Amino acid sequence: MKIGIVCYPTYGGSGVVATELGMALAAKGHQVHFISYAQPFRLDTINENIFYHEVNFNSYPLFEYPPYELALASKLVDIVKFEKLQLLHVHYAIPHASAAFLAKEILKTYQIHIPVITTLHGTDITLVGKDATYEPVVTFSINQSDGVTAVSQFLKDDTYRHFNIKKKIEVIPNFINLQRFQRLKKEHFRKALAPHDEKIIVHTSNFRPVKRIEDVLKIFQKLRNHVTAKLILIGDGPDRKHAEDLCRQMNYCADIRFIGKVDAVEEILSISDLFLMPSESESFGLAALEAMACEVPLITTNAGGLPELNVDGITGFNSPVGDTEKMANDALFILEDNHLPGFKKRAWERAKEFDVAKILPLYENYYKKIVGGDS
Ligand code: GMT
């Protein structure tokens, strides 16, 4: 099949899922055309089945905000026509679903019918989409999509709860490439970061308020009172500066390292003992799944779709948002020498349930259904 994938190119779950999906589809012989305003950061292979088309949007003195959505719609019209695409799969509703709708309508004037699938990822529904600024457009463009998927049961339910959606939403969870995400032997690296055999605690995120970075620091402070440990914070975003300032006022700041954006995140996960994700809201928690695949148990909140991934008491623990006391106590329990190996093993076993080899056919079957006109 010839598929156009529209996504954000930046660090972030929706772009990662879209890119990994496209690469996996290409490996199975589909022709995949990525369309975005920059090359997706995870797109590290180009082969005969993978194409990348950049959306250029020229500035003009009149535009305080260049109309990206229109440039994207025009690009989609051009690529669908020229490359004879059979399907557009857009990731993150805003503004991709409405741009795809516009392109689809324009293409009808050329007697071209292009089905559109929208995958809902998280804040496009839970935060940004619900905002009155965007809500009517989000509702309309989801209803106009030929197919709609959500990355968790929670996100599906939340979409129906807050929007007037007539479409059937299919749940297709996030997935993981176990070839890449596995526990690698990195003993030298571990020794360099934790020379006295300290426990290594890790957090990855885009440092947005929804991730509650302050809670990450609070949990670490509490558990560090009882065990020697290092905290590694991967990623960057608006709350990083505040977190760095807070860290300086805390005990144990010397045990905390902000390492910014890294590509080989699996290398750091491979030397880690525990992953913290105290998010306010999380539709799935792809970063937590990446940790589990590297045999790292989880401390998460019970927000959104996280309990669908992190099985309480088995692969880690879930807690109410903000309950850093419980999260720290649970962390200490997991880190006990007689508990840790079991949690690590079960985290890895759980991750295998989301192997790309299992989830990819769900997308392929859904594509066939939608392209076949059965929506
Ligand atoms: O919504 C965001 O903050 C970012 C978003 C993205 O586009 O990167 O992440 C969401 O999509 C991921 C992939 O489906 C999910 O694993 C994340 O849980 C989800 N983030 C939130 O719901 C906060």
Side-chain angles (χ1 to χ4, degrees):
M1 199 179 282
K2 289 184 167 189
I3 306 152
I5 291 188
V6 179
C7 65
Y8 282 104
T10 46
Y11 283 78
S14 66
V16 171
V17 169
T19 311
E20 294 283 353
L21 174 63
M23 293 194 298
L25 287 164
K28 280 188 83 177
H30 298 278
Q31 194 181 94
V32 177
H33 294 257
F34 288 99
I35 302 146
S36 191
Y37 59 80
Q39 177 154 333
F41 87 97
R42 273 274 176 101
L43 185 55
D44 51 8
T45 12
I46 290 290
N47 62 36
E48 69 280 12
N49 285 335
I50 297 183
F51 299 80
Y52 164 61
H53 308 274
E54 194 152 303
V55 181
N56 320 99
F57 43 116
N58 296 334
S59 202
Y60 181 69
L62 190 63
F63 299 149
E64 193 175 350
Y65 307 103
Y68 175 67
E69 195 174 343
L70 301 185
L72 173 60
S74 298
K75 190 74 177 178
L76 293 178
V77 170
D78 178 56
I79 302 300
V80 170
K81 272 166 66 185
F82 186 74
E83 302 287 354
K84 302 197 171 22
L85 300 188
Q86 294 163 280
L87 174 70
L88 282 178
H89 185 180
V90 305
H91 291 260
Y92 204 90
I94 304 168
H96 300 148
S98 45
F101 168 74
L102 182 56
K104 181 176 154 165
E105 290 301 299
I106 295 169
L107 284 159
K108 281 183 188 166
T109 67
Y110 297 93
Q111 278 72 54
I112 296 173
H113 171 70
I114 182 82
V116 172
I117 294 176
T118 298
T119 289
L120 308 172
H121 279 275
T123 53
D124 45 353
I125 293 300
T126 56
L127 213 69
V128 193
K130 279 178 195 167
D131 190 314
T133 322
Y134 302 109
E135 185 278 325
V137 177
V138 172
T139 304
F140 177 81
S141 48
I142 292 175
N143 279 325
Q144 292 297 324
S145 300
D146 298 276
V148 185
T149 76
V151 299
S152 63
Q153 185 62 39
F154 156 80
L155 190 60
K156 172 180 172 173
D157 296 343
D158 206 49
T159 308
Y160 284 127
R161 232 185 335 266
H162 293 282
F163 299 83
N164 185 12
I165 299 299
K166 312 267 183 257
K167 283 272 159 199
K168 185 171 178 294
I169 301 176
E170 186 90 0
V171 175
I172 304 184
N174 286 176
F175 54 84
I176 188 84
N177 176 351
L178 293 170
Q179 245 74 70
R180 172 172 175 184
F181 286 91
Q182 54 173 289
R183 197 151 182 110
L184 307 164
K185 296 247 168 304
K186 291 276 161 196
E187 286 319 307
H188 283 92
F189 187 32
R190 186 174 172 119
K191 263 243 149 333
L193 287 181
H196 306 292
D197 208 22
E198 298 93 332
K199 296 286 186 243
I200 297 187
I201 319 295
V202 67
H203 169 82
T204 20
S205 79
N206 46 25
F207 285 67
R208 295 197 207 139
V210 74
K211 304 291 178 184
R212 296 181 68 97
I213 306 302
E214 221 173 300
D215 283 1
V216 172
L217 298 177
K218 282 185 192 159
I219 298 164
F220 182 71
Q221 168 120 321
K222 288 180 211 280
L223 77 86
R224 179 66 189 79
N225 287 335
H226 301 276
V227 287
T228 55
K230 300 280 184 186
L231 174 64
I232 302 177
L233 294 148
I234 307 171
D236 207 344
D239 283 355
R240 176 170 169 180
K241 170 83 177 62
H242 174 62
E244 281 177 340
D245 290 345
L246 263 182
C247 174
R248 288 180 186 182
Q249 297 155 24
M250 283 172 50
N251 300 329
Y252 315 121
C253 189
D255 292 324
I256 301 176
R257 285 177 82 149
F258 290 81
I259 60 168
K261 291 176 183 169
V262 285
D263 286 335
V265 65
E266 65 276 17
E267 294 189 2
I268 295 161
L269 293 172
S270 289
I271 58 162
S272 300
D273 298 298
L274 187 68
F275 185 86
L276 305 180
M277 185 177 257
S279 303
E280 176 98 40
S281 158
E282 198 71 57
S283 66
F284 182 89
L286 179 63
L289 173 58
E290 291 178 346
M292 291 166 103
C294 297
E295 300 177 32
V296 186
L298 310 175
I299 288 293
T300 66
T301 55
N302 54 16
L306 283 171
E308 294 172 48
L309 174 68
N310 186 16
V311 188
D312 198 47
I314 305 290
T315 57
F317 289 97
N318 297 312
S319 300
V321 174
D323 193 347
T324 54
E325 196 64 41
K326 176 175 176 316
M327 291 186 230
N329 287 335
D330 288 343
L332 287 168
F333 181 85
I334 292 174
L335 292 173
E336 281 177 32
D337 287 343
N338 52 339
H339 295 156
L340 191 55
F343 275 100
K344 284 186 169 177
K345 183 166 177 284
R346 292 189 298 270
W348 177 66
E349 276 162 1
R350 178 81 179 133
K352 285 196 289 183
E353 293 174 36
F354 298 91
D355 184 350
V356 62
K358 288 189 178 147
I359 308 298
L360 188 65
L362 304 183
Y363 275 113
E364 286 182 293
N365 290 338
Y366 192 62
Y367 286 178
K368 277 188 211 142
K369 187 171 138 181
I370 298 301
V371 171
D374 180 14
S375 56

